Each structure stands twice: as C-alpha cells, then as structure tokens.
Amino acid sequence: MTVDTVGRFERALEGLDVELERVSAADATERIETIVEEPAVGAPLPFEGVSLPDDVTTGPTTAELEAARTGVTPVGFAIAEYGTVAIESTADGAEPISLYPDRHVAVVAESDVVPDLSAGFTRLADGFDAGRESVVFATGRSATADMGDLVHGVHGPGTVRVIVLEDR
Amino acid sequence: MAQRTRSQQADRIRHLLETEGDAIHAQTSASNARRGDVYDVTDDLEALRTDARAIKEDAIDDLPELIETVREAVEANGGTVYVADDAADANAYVADVVEQNGSTDAADEPSVVKSKSMTTEEIDLNDALEADGIDVTETDLGEWVLQVADDTPSHIVGPAMHLSRAEIADLFNERFDPDEPFETAEELTRFARDHLGEIITDADVGITGANFVVADSGTITLVTNEGNARKCAVTPDTHVAIAGVEKLIPTLSDLEPFVDLIAKSATGQPISQYVTMLTPPTDSPTLEFDSPDEPITAGGGGGAAGPIGDPDREFHLVLLDNGRMDMREDDQLRETLYCIRCGACSNSCANFQSVGGHGFGGETYSGGIATGWEAGVHGQDSAAEFNDLCTGCTNCVDACPVKIDIPWINTVVRDRVNRSDEPEAYDFLVDGLTPDAESGGLDPGKRFFGNIGTVAKAASATAPVSNWLADAGPVRAALERTLGIDRRRDLPTFRRESLVDWFEKRGGFAASSRRAAQADSRDDGADVDREVVCYPDVYTNYVDTERGKAAVRALEALGVPVRVPDLPESGRAALSQGMIATADRQASRVYAALAEDLDAGRDVVVIEPSDLAAMHREYERLLPESSYERLREGSYEICEYVYGLLENGADPSALSTGDGAEPVAYHSHCQQRTLDLEAQTVAVLERCGYAPVTSDAECCGMAGSFGYKREYYELSMDVGERLAGQLEGADTVVASGTSCGDQLETLLERDVPHPIELLAPGRYRA
Ligand code: SF4
C-alpha cells in the first residue's frame, strides 16, 4: 500500500517537474549533500539518525537566508494524489527556508506520505489538535503566467526536490 | 445614472474587441478548457460541489455566530479582529495599524506590501493608504503590472490578462529603463522577483486577503501560485488580513472541498501551488532584514516553540461588511455570498471571452457574478452598466463550483434596474402595443423584446405586409432609434400561417392520431402508447414553422399522435429582459393551459431549448413546487423525446436516415447543454445514420434579443465567428436553437435547419 502511495506521489511530482528520490536514513545525509547547491540553509531534520550535511547552515541569519541558493526542510507529511508537501511554520524557520531560496529540498518519511487530500486533511486536523496550526500545502514550483508566459520561480522556489526516507 | 448611450456603448465594445479581445480570449478560453478537462476527470466533482455549496449555505446562515467564534479564536491566539462596516471604516483601521507599525524614523514613509485581494480593490485601500502617506506595493505580478500601468483589473483571477507580454515589456522598459530592454516573460519575471523581493524584505506591514477563514481556529487560508502571499504574511512582523465576512467557514474540515475545488475551477489546475493555512501569529520567526547578521531563530534556538507563536508578531483580521449583511437578508442576492471568486463563470462566458472584464465589469468585480457583487457592495447603478452583457446562456451554471444560479441573479438585478429607471418618452407607444405586468419606466427595447409573443402574433396576422414594412429603410431606422435593433441584422420573417393554424388545417389531433396509427401498423417493433402536446413557442409558431411541422411529422412517423394547441408564451422573452412579473404571470398561464394534458399523462415536447430551459430551470422560482415538478417531469426536448422513443423500440427507418457516413455539424444550444441534452441529439443522429460532429465554442453569440441590439452587434458577430469557424467545413449544419440557427445562417450564408428537419420523413433538402 505504502509503496503504491509513494509511486503515486512520484508520478504526481513528475507531472510538476519535481524529482523524487527514495533513500534510506543511513544514506540520507550524503544524498542531500549531493543535491544541495551552496550556499544552503536548512531547518533541523527531526528523523532519528538523519542529520543535515555540515555545510547546510541551520539557524541562518537573514543575510544567509537571502543569499542561500538551497533551503532544506523536513515536511510534516505529503499528499500523493497531488504531489503536495505540507510545510509547517516552525520556530526553526522551515517556512521562510522553504520559500526564499530558489531550490527547496523537502525531506519526508515514507510513512508520512498519505494517499489523497482527505487523508491529508486528517493529518492536518491531527496537527491542529497538537497545536501545529500553520501549514502550507506546497505543490510543485512557484509559478506565474502574469508576464505573458508560464515562468517558474517567481516569489518562491523555481526547483523543488523531494527525498522520501524509505525506512521511516 | 450616467448610462452610456447606445452608440457610446457600441464604440466602447468595438474598442475593447480590438485592444484587449485577443489577449483575453487566449487566456480565458484556455483556462476554461483546462477547467472542463479537470472537472471531467474529477470523480466526485458533483459531491464536492454539493458539499461546498451546503457549507456556504450554512455558514452564511450562521454568520453572526461565526464572527463571534472567530473573534474569540483570533484573540486567544493574540491577534485582533475588527469588523468594518464599510470601505472608509476598513481603510481608516488599516491606516492606523500601519502608522503604528511604521518605522520610528519620521522621515521614512511607512511601507506596505500587498498580496492580491479583490476585497481591498473593492474598498480602494491603496488609494486610501497612499493619501495617508503610506507606500503600497502590490506583489502579485499581475496586480503589480496594473499598479505600474495605473490600470484596473480585468479579471478576478488574472487581473492583467488583457495585457500581452509585449505590452508589459514596453511598459517596463519605459518605466524602469533597464540596461538591456526586457523581452521575454522570463526576463520580466526575474526583474519583478528581484525588485519586489527587496520591497518585501523592507516592508513594515504585510497585507493579504483571505480565500477562506476557519472560524473556530482563526485560520486564514491563502491560495496562490506565486508564493507572494506567503512572503507578505510572514516576512513583516505585522500581518493584516482583509476579508469579506462571507469568507468565514466553521471548522477546518469544511475547508477540504474548497481546497479541492478552487484551483480546478479557477485555472484548471488540480490544486494550486500554495495553499497556505495560517493561524497567526505563527511560530515562524520574524525576519529582520535590516539586521542581516542576526540569526532568524534568535532566542528560539531552533527548539520547539510554545503555543502562542513568535511574540514579536502582530496580527489583525479585518472582516468587511460593506453591504454583505444586507445581501444576506436579500433572498435573491444571498447566493452571491457563496461565491469563492474563482472566475470560472467569467472564463466560461462567451461574451466575457471577447471583451473581458473592462467591458463586462462594474467598479471592482467583473464577469458573470459581478452583477450580484456590485449590486450588493456598490449598489445597483454599478451593476446596471454591464448587466446587459449577460445573455442568460447558462454556460456559467455548470462552471460554478458552488452552484450559484448566476443567470438568475442577473435576471433579478435586471428586473430591479428596470424598475428604478426613469420613465421613457416612448412608453405610451410601446405600452399600447404590448401589455405586460411590468410597472412603467421600462426601456422600450426591453419591453418590445419581453413581449415578443404579442409582437409576433400581430406581425403574423399582417404578414407579408409586416415583413415588407419591417425591411423598409425608414422603419429600420425607427426600430434602431426607438428599440435599439441594429439595422444590419436580418429580422425574422413572420409567416402568415402559424404552426397552430397549419396543424388545425390538416385535421388537428384526429388526423394526427390516424397518421400515427398507420405508422404504428406498418412498424412491427415499437409499441409506444404515448401522446404528445407539441409546445408552439413564439418562433416555431410564427417564424420557423418548418421545424414545428418537421417535429409533428417525425413524431407521427414514430407512432405518436400529436396535439398543437395554441399555448401561452413561456416567459422566456420576458425573463431575458428582466421582466420577472411578466414571466411569472406567463409561467402560471402555461401551467394552467397544460395541467389537464399532464394529468391525462400526455408528454409535453418543446422544440426551442430556451423555452424548455425556462420550464426546467426558472419555473422553479415562479411556480408552486409541485406544479414545477409536474411540468418538469412531463416535458422533453424534441430530440431527447425521439431518443426515448428509439430507445423504447421505435424504428429509426421511419425517419429520414443517412448512409452512416454523412457528416453533420451540430451546434447544440447553451441552455440545452446546461440541461445535459446535447448527447441525445447526437445519439439520435447517429442512430439515424449520420456522422455528427459537435462544436465546442461556448455560444453562438446571439441569445435571443441580445444580438439584435445595436450596441452588441459587433460582439455578437465576434462570438458567432468562433462558432462558425468550427462548423463551416461540414456539408450539412444543424442547430437546435432558433437564434443559433439565425446567427449561423447569417455567418455561413446557407440554411441551418433544426436537427428534426433533417430527420423528419420526406427529409429536408438544403
Ligand atoms: S460565481 Fe461561482 S464561478 Fe463565478 S467566481 Fe463565484 S464561485 Fe467562481
């Protein structure tokens, strides 16, 4: 079931030009390191045994946030149906870190990929009950057609990469 | 009321067709097609729409309680709720908040960054803030282009869609004078990103709208593709969200159908890029870009935050009334408050696709639902100016995610506008010709078209003299002057012998029964024991009698005896002119005239789709429920009925059949499509050995009286040409509606019969 769900998630992301990678927790740090473009900033990853690569700055200054090319954040859960990742507004800055740099690397545990929007709303409601009441459903890349043609990366990231931690 | 004259209005529409038409058409039709596609593949679409509507109905019902609920929730989070009575009240409050949060250096103007919000357009917030010395910058790219161009939005969702890339490039090159002139959308977007990015990081206050507000948690939902709403909401320490009171929904779970629907209906995307659910003040750290070396998480140290959010954050929710609480009390306008501002109604509208919101708009809102919004928030005068551009085609009815009956709102407002007009000089003249149930002061053109049945009867009785007269130059000039009928438009040719007279002359019901019985005895398959009352609508009875005769012959050939009694007008014409009292009276008369037939189990068959639509849609508002249900269940469109007969075993060979390969281009009819009756005609044509191809253009551009009007002639032709272009290749072209047929005959310069004329025995020959 979960495998199918991740497959569905992957296909939805493909349609949005977002690459998905499945990695084990043990390999995650290394994989993230190859994906980030420096300078990079990040919000700490709450997955046991997974840490951010050394050259990803956590707790960045505003200058570092502005200069960063990549932002790495965990996401609370993902919705396979639409290729959506749910970014929570946490005190460690996941929201601005996922928004300001041109490249967003989202890390999600396989067990947190839910099949559809309804299941996503169930997760959202659980989060609300636990006091996590500010969440962004981010689907694909920032886009606009206001300048006469579709262009990505306008106010938000122009590239998004998703890492699914397979053994979580 | 500063109403434009007919020729001013005609000039303005011609100008918009030339300047903005192409860009608007490209964008709206693409969005509309994507919406259609994504609706088609959404399995539970109907359930979602039904849910969404039900949630809105309940929320508007409970609005006063929801306002109290959200006040408690936001205050518990540490924010403030302000309910503003009107624009001035809201603007003053926001200006106050901005001044208190501006830089302490008196030389610095306080600065605001805004994310797109129609509600702030409605109250002219930018002007009000700027008058107070506050710097305001729009951050949605489309909205910002308009700000730079000092232009107004032409669409709820794509405010600058009337401008082409080249026009935007010219504007930016002139205004910002870059080293290398901008050319591509990429270059323009990159420039906008950098330019606006700096302004956002420097701003004192971020202002957003809110697509939905969850009352019990105080959660603001923002739906965008660009990400600018997120930046405006979280970058400055102070966030002001401004929303109409109608945006409140009770709980988080009520949000789900809207999140699922809004992007689908707006742009045809499965979901928007960013659906931000923000319960401010949030835990996200504030960003002090003027202290670049401070860690953004200073103090928090990256640890988990408490429940109250970052203490430096300030949040204000401004809930705007501005007429909405009165709309809630108004049985006809209340539905407008269910609107989620997706713009689908505009995109699906053929007239909007040609002229866009600047032709089809009020002070703020534009397109289909704008009539309701403008009448509610700015008053009837603002709605009156463009309300006439709605032809009542009902394309928008299937597009609206909350199932608002937009054409009905247009009809109601038209009716109210009619009643508030100054009495006109020609009243006595037209009143004498056309008695109706409307009070004085009605525009003579409206009165004329609203009573077209009486006109047609008189014209038929005096045909062919009336036809010659109507075609004579001086008469056309007078018709144009007094009634606004464009002289370039062919007028209908009235028949001396009406369908009802023809039917009586050939022996009436007795003869029809004999013919049907003969057909029955020849045909050994079907045994359909039905009787039909064929409804002689005004055009079928007096103008296009051939399609009526064809219907009678086809039914008889399939073994069904027919009656063609002289029946009252359906009220369709009156409805188109917003003459609800007249339509109401006519609906009652139609029902009274048909009650006995319905009781006797006879089927009512209607040829003109717009008359059937009156019975199936608008009569719900005009008749007692059981009468409405009875008539609706007992009445059918002619080809739908033939389809039913064939399904029940009638033999298609009794009709004029093709060889299976003959292509027939078929244009259904807007209202017929909304009633889901296009497929039956297509199926009948196939069963009878034709190879039908259908048009997907939204509308023929005619819609009854609309295309006759002088101010709309060019628009009507523009819309019609899109349809004609799709059909012209076929040898045979058929159309279900009279006005569609007329329009196509003019544009294609050949006969365009009703499908039943092709199918009736003794087949139609072009
Ligand atoms: S009336 Fe319906 S279709 Fe039109 S903008 Fe409102 S919600 Fe969308």
Side-chain angles (χ1 to χ4, degrees):
Chain A
M1 173 67 196
T2 316
V3 175
D4 284 337
T5 304
V6 175
R8 191 177 181 197
F9 185 38
E10 186 168 15
R11 284 190 296 281
L13 286 172
E14 238 168 52
L16 299 162
D17 271 328
V18 173
E19 255 177 68
L20 175 145
E21 277 190 62
R22 307 157 195 248
V23 299
S24 64
D27 297 335
T29 309
E30 205 180 311
R31 282 306 302 155
I32 294 169
E33 192 158 14
T34 61
I35 291 174
V36 298
E37 279 177 16
E38 288 178 31
V41 294
L45 301 177
F47 311 104
E48 208 189 303
V50 184
S51 55
L52 284 168
D54 290 342
D55 36 23
V56 174
T57 310
T58 52
T61 64
T62 44
E64 285 166 329
L65 178 67
E66 260 192 306
R69 296 180 64 182
T70 308
V72 186
T73 73
V75 300
F77 59 93
I79 300 168
E81 177 181 24
Y82 292 137
T84 301
V85 295
I87 302 158
E88 289 167 1
S89 290
T90 53
D92 46 27
E95 160 69 342
I97 289 170
S98 70
L99 180 63
Y100 272 85
D102 188 56
R103 174 181 280 249
H104 176 217
V105 179
V107 186
V108 63
E110 182 177 52
S111 54
D112 287 327
V113 183
V114 301
D116 53 23
L117 190 69
S118 283
F121 261 82
T122 307
R123 289 293 299 259
L124 191 65
D126 293 346
F128 266 57
D129 289 344
R132 296 193 301 275
E133 294 188 333
S134 294
V135 178
V136 180
F137 283 177
T139 307
R141 306 165 288 161
S142 159
T144 186
D146 285 342
M147 294 296 176
D149 241 329
L150 187 64
V151 179
H152 291 283
V154 44
H155 286 291
T159 313
V160 177
R161 303 284 291 259
V162 173
I163 302 222
V164 176
L165 299 173
E166 272 185 319
D167 47 355
R168 292 296 128 129
Chain B
M1 178 166 31
Q3 286 261 21
R4 291 182 175 84
T5 65
R6 285 207 169 93
S7 64
Q8 282 171 335
Q9 177 76 339
D11 288 347
R12 181 158 163 273
I13 287 179
R14 194 176 309 118
H15 177 73
L16 288 170
L17 282 169
E18 282 163 11
T19 53
E20 302 186 355
D22 287 350
I24 289 280
H25 180 252
Q27 299 237 30
T28 49
S29 62
S31 287
N32 191 45
R34 282 196 305 267
R35 176 196 56 77
D37 292 346
V38 76
Y39 271 17
D40 284 347
V41 300
T42 305
D43 300 335
D44 50 353
L45 180 75
E46 277 317 296
L48 281 173
R49 292 174 76 209
T50 306
D51 278 2
R53 182 177 172 97
I55 291 166
K56 278 289 187 183
E57 280 178 7
D58 291 348
I60 297 302
D61 239 19
D62 299 338
L63 200 47
E65 296 86 70
L66 290 178
I67 293 173
E68 285 324 303
T69 309
V70 81
R71 190 193 295 282
E72 278 169 33
V74 170
E75 284 173 2
N77 291 340
T80 310
V81 173
Y82 185 75
V83 180
D85 289 339
D86 56 21
D89 189 10
N91 289 337
Y93 180 84
V94 177
D96 241 24
V97 171
V98 176
E99 261 144 35
Q100 279 163 26
N101 286 280
S103 143
T104 38
D105 181 351
D108 270 1
E109 283 191 354
S111 66
V112 164
V113 283
K114 270 186 66 200
S115 158
K116 184 166 90 74
S117 141
M118 288 306 284
T119 311
T120 60
E121 290 285 328
E122 175 187 322
I123 58 177
D124 291 320
L125 177 72
N126 292 12
D127 291 347
L129 293 181
E130 277 157 11
D132 274 356
I134 297 166
D135 221 28
V136 185
T137 308
E138 295 289 346
T139 62
D140 169 88
L141 260 45
E143 211 46 73
W144 184 54
V145 167
L146 295 186
Q147 196 181 22
V148 174
D150 199 17
D151 199 353
T152 54
S154 58
H155 191 275
I156 305 183
V157 174
M161 68 163 60
H162 57 287
L163 297 173
S164 68
R165 182 188 44 77
E167 285 167 318
I168 299 171
D170 287 348
L171 172 73
F172 277 34
N173 288 330
E174 196 181 305
R175 176 64 59 92
F176 300 105
D177 197 19
D179 299 338
E180 284 287 312
F182 301 123
E183 261 173 48
T184 64
E186 304 269 342
E187 289 163 3
L188 289 162
T189 303
R190 203 171 333 115
F191 170 73
R193 176 189 166 119
D194 295 345
H195 182 90
L196 293 172
E198 272 175 38
I199 295 175
I200 294 172
T201 53
D202 286 346
D204 298 312
V205 175
I207 297 182
T208 69
N211 294 83
F212 308 97
V213 179
V214 178
D216 76 348
S217 57
T219 305
I220 312 301
T221 307
L222 300 166
V223 181
T224 71
N225 283 334
E226 294 183 2
N228 60 310
R230 293 170 69 188
K231 278 190 168 163
C232 290
V234 303
T235 307
D237 308 347
T238 303
H239 173 200
V240 180
I242 305 180
V245 284
E246 84 284 1
K247 299 285 181 69
L248 286 164
I249 53 173
T251 66
L252 184 69
S253 65
D254 297 314
L255 193 56
E256 188 184 329
F258 297 106
V259 169
D260 217 347
L261 278 171
I262 190 165
K264 293 183 174 76
S265 52
T267 53
Q269 296 168 270
I271 189 168
S272 298
Q273 262 84 353
Y274 302 115
V275 179
T276 304
M277 285 150 287
L278 211 59
T279 311
T282 77
D283 294 341
S284 249
T286 55
L287 305 174
E288 301 296 342
F289 285 93
D290 39 12
S291 348
D293 300 325
E294 291 283 316
I296 60 171
T297 52
I308 285 297
D310 189 305
D312 292 340
R313 289 196 174 274
E314 190 175 318
F315 173 68
H316 299 260
L317 173 62
V318 178
L319 292 171
L320 180 70
D321 177 349
N322 206 29
R324 287 165 173 78
M325 289 313 229
D326 290 339
M327 289 166 83
R328 185 176 165 264
E329 303 291 323
D330 183 323
D331 284 342
Q332 310 295 343
L333 288 187
R334 183 182 307 122
E335 267 195 273
T336 308
L337 297 171
Y338 307 159
C339 170
I340 61 171
R341 322 265 184 99
C342 68
C345 49
S346 302
N347 295 338
S348 68
C349 172
N351 286 341
F352 188 96
Q353 286 189 7
S354 282
V355 294
H358 289 152
F360 215 125
E363 279 176 48
T364 305
Y365 299 99
S366 71
I369 195 60
T371 295
W373 280 121
E374 289 295 330
V377 305
H378 288 132
Q380 221 153 267
D381 287 1
S382 176
E385 220 192 313
F386 62 96
N387 170 270
D388 259 4
L389 276 172
C390 169
T391 64
C393 76
T394 68
N395 274 341
C396 53
V397 168
D398 286 337
C400 176
V402 277
K403 300 191 174 189
I404 297 177
D405 193 342
I406 300 156
W408 179 255
I409 292 176
N410 275 295
T411 304
V412 167
V413 173
R414 201 167 285 175
D415 184 77
R416 293 180 185 177
V417 169
N418 289 343
R419 286 166 198 284
S420 68
D421 271 358
E422 298 295 314
E424 301 251 354
Y426 297 101
D427 261 11
F428 67 96
L429 197 163
V430 184
D431 269 337
L433 176 65
T434 58
D436 56 40
E438 307 300 319
S439 55
L442 189 63
D443 171 85
K446 287 185 174 170
R447 182 151 280 172
F448 176 84
F449 283 113
N451 289 285
I452 196 71
T454 318
V455 176
K457 193 169 195 160
S460 162
T462 54
V465 177
S466 55
N467 293 321
W468 297 333
L469 257 182
D471 264 345
V475 174
R476 291 307 301 253
L479 286 174
E480 192 168 277
R481 200 173 59 247
T482 58
L483 305 177
I485 296 176
D486 196 285
R487 64 180 99 180
R488 288 164 289 187
R489 184 66 82 179
D490 288 339
L491 291 180
T493 308
F494 292 99
R495 301 302 174 96
R496 186 65 187 250
E497 185 184 63
S498 69
L499 178 70
V500 170
D501 292 344
W502 168 83
F503 185 78
E504 279 315 307
K505 233 158 96 196
R506 76 199 268 279
F509 177 67
S512 185
S513 301
R514 268 199 313 279
R515 290 190 179 92
Q518 268 166 17
D520 243 355
S521 63
R522 275 197 303 272
D523 152 3
D524 42 18
D527 188 17
V528 273
D529 187 17
R530 305 300 305 172
E531 272 180 41
V532 156
V533 177
C534 182
Y535 179 76
D537 65 89
V538 173
Y539 278 93
T540 307
N541 199 26
Y542 295 115
V543 180
D544 201 353
T545 52
E546 290 313 314
R547 67 178 185 171
K549 294 174 192 172
V552 170
R553 287 199 194 100
L555 290 169
E556 287 169 353
L558 295 169
V560 179
V562 182
R563 297 164 201 259
V564 188
D566 195 0
L567 290 169
E569 271 182 83
S570 71
R572 162 54 60 203
L575 282 169
S576 301
Q577 307 303 328
M579 295 158 62
I580 295 179
T582 304
D584 193 16
R585 193 175 67 178
Q586 284 165 342
S588 301
R589 285 183 182 163
V590 168
Y591 185 74
L594 286 171
E596 195 178 327
D597 293 304
L598 292 167
D599 286 342
R602 291 172 199 131
D603 302 318
V604 177
V605 167
V606 181
I607 301 170
E608 175 56 39
S610 59
D611 286 270
L612 185 74
M615 295 175 194
H616 283 208
R617 289 178 36 81
E618 283 89 356
Y619 277 19
E620 187 174 9
R621 319 247 184 189
L622 305 175
L623 291 179
E625 194 183 330
S626 55
S627 313
Y628 161 70
E629 286 295 342
R630 202 166 173 68
L631 179 55
R632 188 175 62 93
E633 272 158 27
S635 52
Y636 306 84
E637 194 267 342
I638 175 72
C639 288
E640 175 196 17
Y641 196 76
V642 169
Y643 174 77
L645 293 173
L646 297 181
E647 281 292 287
N648 282 295
D651 184 357
S653 70
L655 301 173
S656 290
T657 51
D659 60 5
E662 187 185 338
V664 173
Y666 169 53
H667 174 66
S668 181
H669 176 281
C670 310
Q671 289 166 329
Q672 187 178 0
R673 292 191 201 169
T674 302
L675 296 173
D676 285 329
L677 293 175
E678 179 179 21
Q680 287 84 335
T681 303
V682 173
V684 169
L685 287 169
E686 279 168 354
R687 294 275 295 267
C688 292
Y690 299 93
V693 284
T694 56
S695 59
D696 60 11
E698 275 71 22
C699 180
C700 70
M702 188 59 176
S705 60
F706 178 85
Y708 284 110
K709 293 184 186 169
R710 186 174 156 207
E711 57 271 47
Y712 304 137
Y713 179 80
E714 271 94 4
L715 175 53
S716 161
M717 284 296 156
D718 190 67
V719 172
E721 270 156 16
R722 291 202 287 265
L723 173 65
Q726 290 189 341
L727 302 178
E728 63 194 350
D731 288 343
T732 308
V733 180
V734 292
S736 294
T738 348
S739 47
C740 316
D742 284 352
Q743 174 85 323
L744 285 169
E745 287 187 351
T746 304
L747 288 160
L748 299 172
E749 296 177 358
R750 57 166 130 156
D751 268 355
V752 176
H754 189 286
I756 200 68
E757 291 177 67
L758 191 68
L759 296 168
R763 105 161 258 195
Y764 167 88
R765 289 272 163 235

